[in-house]
Amino acid sequence: LSYFSSVILTLQRFPSHSTMNISKSGYRVFSANSTTACTELAKKITERLGVDLGKSVVYQESNRETRVDVKESVRGQDIFIIQTIPRDVNTAIMELLVMAYALKTNCAKNIIGVIPYFPYSKQCKMRKRGSIVCKLLASMLAKAGMLLYGLTHIITMDLHQKEIQGFFSFPVDNLRASPFLLQYIQEEIPDYRNAIIVAKSPSAAKRAQSYAERLRLGLAVMHGEAQCSESDMADGRHSPPPMSSGRTTSGHPGLELPLMMAKEKPPITVVGDVGGRIAIIVDDIIDDVEDFVAAAEILKERGAYKIYIMATHGLLSAEAPRLIEESAIDEVVVTNTVPHEVQKLQCPKIKTVDVSMILAEAIRRIHNGESMAYLFRNITVDD
C-alpha cells in the first residue's frame, strides 16, 4: 500500500510542473456545463494545472435545445472538455457533443473528453429484448470523432465493466480511484486494522478482494440478495416467445432440449466472520441505496459495530440521502466524479474524496505526450 501513498504524494507535487503561461501552454480546459455544481471539479483540475478555466457559456434555449458559445480563441490548441454528469444525463451528453463540435469548428487541434463518470455504463449487457445503450453512446462519441473531427480521446474513471473500453474505436484511459479510497480508509477510519472488506454480492467479490489484499484485511461476501442481479439478466431474451394455447409448433420431432430449472434466491447469507469488526462495503457505483441499506442491516445483525460504504461514483438518486440517514450505515464515502453537494446537505453521513489531482495529471501527460503507465503502476483489472 505504500506505493499508493507515494503515487498520491507525487501527484500532489504536480501543480509545480504547470505554472506555465496560459498562452504558451498549448492547451485549454473547458467545462461542458455552466452550472456551479458541475464546474466545481473543472475548477479544481485547472487550479492544479495552473491554468484558467476556458471561457464559454453553455445553456438551454426556451425549447430545451442546447447552445454553446465559446468566448475565446482555441485555434491550434489541445482542448480538454470536462463533463461531470448531473441529474439530466441526456442533456449532459448533448452538451458534450455540441461543445466538441463548436470547438472543432473554431479550429481546435485535438479535443479530449474528460468524463469521470461514464453515463449508461450499467447498460453494457444485453437484457431480454433491450439494447446495449453503452455501446450506442460509445458509437456516438466515436462518430463525432470521425465524421465531425471532434472527440479523439476520452479520460474516464472506474468504468462499471472494464470491457466497455472495447466499445470505442479511439483511445480510452480508464483511471482508478482505489488509491484515494484506500488512503481514506487508512487515514480517516479509526482502528481500520479491525475492519473487514465486504462484497455485497458475488459479482463484487473481485473488487473487494483487491481492497482486502492491499489493506491486509479479511474478506466477507454476501450472497442471496433479494433483487435480480445483472448476471441473471445478462442474456435473457427468451426466444422463441411462449406460444398461445391455440398455436402449435412444427419443431424438429427428435429435438428435446433439457428443461432449465428456475432460479430461486436463497436467504441472504454472509460468508465470513464480521462479528466485532468494522464492515467496509466496496463498490464502483452507489445509486439506489436499498441494497446497501439491506446489507448494512444484515451486517449489524451479524455483529459488525460500524459500517462504511466506499464507492467511486456517488449518484445517490431519488430518496438515497434520506434512506442513508435513517439506516444502520455510519458513513458513505464517494469521490467527486459526480456532483452531490445537495445530497451532502441532506445527509451528513456522505463524505467526499477529491480525485482532481489524478485527472489533472492525466491531462498534463496526454498534452505533453508522456506515458500514462505511471498512473497505472501496480493497478490490476480488479481495482
Side-chain angles (χ1 to χ4, degrees), residues 28-32 41-42 45 49 79-85 96 111-118 151 153-157 173 175 337 355-356 358-360 362-363 366:
R28 300 307 307 272
V29 179
F30 285 83
S31 174
L41 178 60
I45 291 173
L49 290 169
I79 304 299
F80 295 84
I81 306 174
I82 299 173
Q83 179 62 307
T84 53
I85 305 299
L96 177 63
I111 300 177
I112 298 93
V114 182
I115 315 171
Y117 167 65
F118 194 78
L151 290 169
H153 195 137
I154 282 181
I155 302 170
T156 187
M157 180 169 281
D173 287 310
L175 304 176
T337 56
V355 293
S356 62
I358 194 170
L359 294 170
I363 290 173
I366 289 173

Side-chain angles (χ1 to χ4, degrees), residues 14-66:
F14 286 137
S16 61
H17 286 292
S18 317
T19 55
M20 61 187 74
N21 184 280
I22 294 175
S23 61
K24 297 179 181 178
S25 67
Y27 73 95
R28 300 307 307 272
V29 179
F30 285 83
S31 174
N33 191 301
S34 296
T35 62
T36 303
C38 294
T39 57
E40 182 179 351
L41 178 60
K43 288 179 179 177
K44 289 183 177 180
I45 291 173
T46 52
E47 286 173 4
R48 293 184 180 277
L49 290 169
V51 301
D52 292 331
L53 189 62
K55 297 180 176 63
S56 65
V57 179
V58 183
Y59 60 97
Q60 307 297 316
E61 298 277 15
S62 58
N63 62 355
R64 305 301 296 168
E65 290 183 357
T66 299

